[in-house]
Amino acid sequence: MMRKVELIDIGRSMTWLFAAAVLLCVSAFPVAAQQEIGVDIFGSQSAGVVRLSVPFPALKGGVAAQAIHTPFFSPLTRDLAFSEIFALIPLPPNTSPTLEVAKRAGAQAFLTLEISLEANEYVIEARLYDVATKSVQLGRRYRGTGGALTRIAHMIASDLVRYFNGRPGIFLTQVAYVSNASGQKEIWLMDYDGSNKRRITSHGSIALSPDWSPDGEQLVYTAFNPRGSDLYLVSRRGGGRIRIQTGVNLNTAPRFSPDGRDIAFVGSIAGNPDIYLIAADGSNRRRITSASSIESTPGWSPTGRQIAFTSGRAGSPQIYVMDAEGTNVRRISYDGDWNDDPSFSPDGELLAYTSRVAGRFQIRIMNLTTQESRIIAGEGSNEQPAWSPDGKWLLFTSNRSGRWQIYRVGVDGRDLMQLTTEGDNTAPRWSNLPR
C-alpha cells in the first residue's frame, strides 16, 4: 500500500545569476513543469556543482529528533549527495544555522526544513535560499504520515534536482527484480537505493523477467505453472494479476515498448524460440524472427524503432539489432565469445550487455555509433545490466559475494554499491522517471 503524501507549493522565484550575468526570473513553478536550465547557475566558479548546506530540521509541536533522523533526514542528505548536482557543505558545530553562517562556510545555497505535527501527520516546509541574495528560490510544503517520511525526503531531493536541471531526480524511481527471499522466486520491488523491499507477486512457483510499463504503473513478467509458462501483468502496488494469452509456448523475457502498446517476448512454436510482439491487451500477436537458431532477450531502443536481441545464428550467442518489424537484421557484437542481455541507454547512444571475456562474464558498454566498447570489470560473474532512467548508472547481477545479488555502479565503473543481501536476487529493471 502506497502511503499518501500531499504536496503544496508555497512559492517559487528565480534570481540566480547565470555565467553571462543574465538575470532570469521565473514565477509560479508548477510541479509538472520541466524547464531546461542547462547553464552554469552559479557562474564559472561552481564548475556545475551547487554548494548546498542542509542543517537538521527545526522541530515544532513535540516532534522528536529520533523520529526524523533515520526515516527522513538521512535519506534526504544521501539523495542530495548522490545527485552529482550538489556538494553538501557542513556548517560549524555549536552554531545557529543561519544564512550568514552558511555563507562563511562556503555554501551557495541553503535549505531550511521545518517539521510540525498536524492531526497525526507530519507537515514539512522546505525553503531553498540563494545565500548571496538571501532570497527564497523555492518553497514547498509536504504532508504525510510517519510511514511516508522517506518518500517525502525523496520528493524534496527530486524537486531540488528538477529546479536546477529541469528534470526530476531518480530518487522516486523503483527497481523490480526477482528474489527467492520468501522461498520461491517471486517479483519484488525496492527503492532506487535498495531500501523498502517488498514482494508484489505470490505465485508459489517461479516468476522471472520483470519489466516496467512506460508509466511505471504495471509490470509484465513470466510465471511458470504445471502447463508451462505464461506472461502476466501486475500493478506495482501488487494485488490481482492478468494473464496475457499469447497462444504460444515458452513466454519469457517480456519487454514493454516505449509507448506501452506492445510487448516483445520470447515464444516458441514446435520448440524453436523466436522473438514475438503482442499488444499489451493480448491481441495482434506476430512473430518477427524466423531463424533456426535460438533467439532471446529482446530489448527496445528508446524510440521504439529497433529491437536488440541475442541470437545463436553465428554459432555462439551474439547481439543483433533489427527494426521493430523484424527487418534489417544486423550483428553488432564481435568482442567476447558469448554476448547476451542487451539494454539500450535512455538516449539510445549506448548498449550495455553481458559479455564473456577470458572465461568470465562481465558488463560491456558499446557506443553504437563508433562500435567501440569497454568492460566494467569486477569479481565473479556479472550479468543482466539495466540502465537508470537518467543514463548515469547501471544495475547488474553478480555472484561476487558467493550468492547472486544486485549491484549499482556508475557507467564509468565507479561508486559500486550492493543493493540486496537476503536470498538470491537477479534480473533488475529500473522504472522510468516520475512524470
Side-chain angles (χ1 to χ4, degrees), residues 346-418:
D347 60 10
E349 295 181 0
L350 305 174
L351 191 76
Y353 54 96
T354 303
S355 183
R356 188 168 67 185
V357 180
R360 285 200 304 129
F361 287 106
Q362 300 285 9
I363 305 302
R364 187 184 293 274
I365 301 177
M366 174 187 289
N367 184 306
L368 291 170
T369 300
T370 66
Q371 301 294 299
E372 296 177 345
S373 68
R374 56 187 173 86
I375 289 286
I376 297 180
E379 301 176 4
S381 185
N382 304 283
E383 307 176 18
Q384 300 175 321
W387 292 89
S388 65
D390 61 2
K392 296 180 180 179
W393 304 87
L394 283 169
L395 297 172
F396 66 97
T397 302
S398 177
N399 64 357
R400 64 184 65 193
S401 68
R403 301 192 68 170
W404 290 104
Q405 302 297 343
I406 295 170
Y407 294 78
R408 184 186 69 207
V409 69
V411 294
D412 57 4
R414 296 184 295 178
D415 299 321
L416 178 72
M417 180 177 180
Q418 183 173 339

Side-chain angles (χ1 to χ4, degrees), residues 184-396:
Q184 298 286 350
K185 289 186 175 182
E186 300 282 1
I187 308 302
W188 287 58
L189 298 182
M190 60 181 167
D191 292 351
Y192 89 101
D193 57 0
S195 63
N196 194 23
K197 296 179 176 68
R198 63 272 192 203
R199 178 168 59 95
I200 64 164
T201 66
S202 54
H203 286 270
S205 56
I206 297 176
L208 301 172
S209 302
D211 190 54
W212 291 94
S213 61
D215 63 6
E217 291 299 318
Q218 287 186 307
L219 291 118
V220 62
Y221 64 97
T222 296
F224 287 84
N225 51 62
R227 65 179 179 273
S229 60
D230 288 301
L231 301 184
Y232 288 88
L233 293 172
V234 67
S235 167
R236 65 181 173 84
R237 297 174 176 85
R241 56 182 184 256
I242 301 171
R243 182 165 71 94
I244 301 175
Q245 300 188 35
T246 65
V248 300
N249 298 318
L250 193 57
N251 298 308
T252 191
R255 294 290 180 260
F256 267 108
S257 63
D259 62 10
R261 296 177 181 175
D262 283 321
I263 295 170
F265 70 101
V266 180
S268 70
I269 295 177
N272 192 69
D274 278 299
I275 309 298
Y276 287 79
L277 300 184
I278 193 168
D281 62 6
S283 64
N284 193 25
R285 187 200 76 208
R286 59 267 197 208
R287 176 180 173 183
I288 60 172
T289 65
S290 57
S292 59
S293 57
I294 294 174
E295 323 281 51
S296 63
T297 59
W300 293 86
S301 70
T303 63
R305 297 173 183 170
Q306 296 179 319
I307 296 175
F309 65 104
T310 304
S311 175
R313 63 186 67 189
S316 66
Q318 297 294 337
I319 307 299
Y320 292 75
V321 172
M322 61 182 166
D323 295 345
E325 299 79 17
T327 57
N328 193 23
V329 179
R330 60 271 191 201
R331 177 179 171 179
I332 62 170
S333 68
Y334 291 91
D335 295 323
D337 58 11
W338 182 304
N339 297 296
D340 197 7
D341 305 319
S343 179
F344 283 95
S345 62
D347 60 10
E349 295 181 0
L350 305 174
L351 191 76
Y353 54 96
T354 303
S355 183
R356 188 168 67 185
V357 180
R360 285 200 304 129
F361 287 106
Q362 300 285 9
I363 305 302
R364 187 184 293 274
I365 301 177
M366 174 187 289
N367 184 306
L368 291 170
T369 300
T370 66
Q371 301 294 299
E372 296 177 345
S373 68
R374 56 187 173 86
I375 289 286
I376 297 180
E379 301 176 4
S381 185
N382 304 283
E383 307 176 18
Q384 300 175 321
W387 292 89
S388 65
D390 61 2
K392 296 180 180 179
W393 304 87
L394 283 169
L395 297 172
F396 66 97

